[in-house]
Amino acid sequence: MATEKNDVTPVKLLLTALYLLIFPALILLLSGDWLWIEGWIFDIWFIALCATSIIYLYRHDPALLAERYKKPGTANQKGWDKYVVYGLVLGFILWIVIMPLDAKRFGWSAAPILPVRVFGGIGLLYSSFLFYRAYKDNTFLSPLVKVQTERKQQVVSTGVYAFVRHPMYLGGILLFIGTPMLLGSLYGVLIGVLLSLLIVARIIGEERMLVKELEGYADYKKKVKYRLIPFIW
């Protein structure tokens, strides 16, 4: 792990915390029910995931934390990826807004059976594990599609990266599908599927770039054959 000085200030971390609290608050506000149990379960999970991830990176991998603060269109991010990032951000906001309106305030979707909600909750548990391990195992986990030449990026093939090539993307897909299952929003699931397809498209473009520009990635693809799900894809 990189040990260079952390240039992410406490003020920036505080602003990040306030920004991240907007989404859990929005879930409950739009639901119209501040006692919504499933909404609180997701909110607590989301806040815990974000807080522990930021604290872990601040203490153990400040270089990666600084990298994850970089904005779309900066450094040498691939031009096409900027539009993918904007699409993911807009889709995420729509997803956050639609789920409580659908599942609670207006009830557009029929309430799912309990096993569906439980399965969604299990998906979030696996998602948080994959997010944590991806951060821990890969110090080059940039939010932008690019090769980090300034950080002397290398192929990472240990930890969860020994099983699938894109564990964090898998964690994101489990988040997008598991959350609306937990909350009971069919429209949220549909938006989650669309976001997942956008992630799949990003993976294809990112891997083409990595094969061309990152030494050793072609060999890594031969060693770890599956992008997201072992024995499937």
Side-chain angles (χ1 to χ4, degrees), residues 201-229:
R202 192 188 202 200
I203 288 172
I204 294 171
E206 183 174 351
E207 289 210 322
R208 289 175 180 171
M209 181 271 297
L210 290 171
V211 168
K212 292 180 181 178
E213 300 183 22
L214 183 61
E215 183 179 356
Y217 196 83
D219 292 333
Y220 171 62
K221 284 184 64 177
K222 295 176 182 177
K223 178 182 176 183
V224 179
K225 299 183 181 299
Y226 300 100
R227 298 175 178 92
L228 286 175
I229 305 174

Side-chain angles (χ1 to χ4, degrees), residues 70-124:
K70 292 185 177 177
K71 299 177 181 179
T74 60
N76 59 332
Q77 180 190 15
K78 298 303 176 183
W80 59 266
D81 184 56
K82 178 173 65 175
Y83 300 103
V84 174
V85 171
Y86 290 148
L88 288 171
V89 170
L90 292 175
F92 178 82
I93 294 172
L94 179 63
W95 179 76
I96 285 287
V97 169
I98 288 294
M99 287 189 295
L101 296 178
D102 175 23
K104 196 66 178 176
R105 182 177 288 271
F106 299 117
W108 297 325
S109 298
I113 60 176
L114 181 60
V116 172
R117 295 185 186 274
V118 171
F119 191 76
I122 293 172
L124 290 184

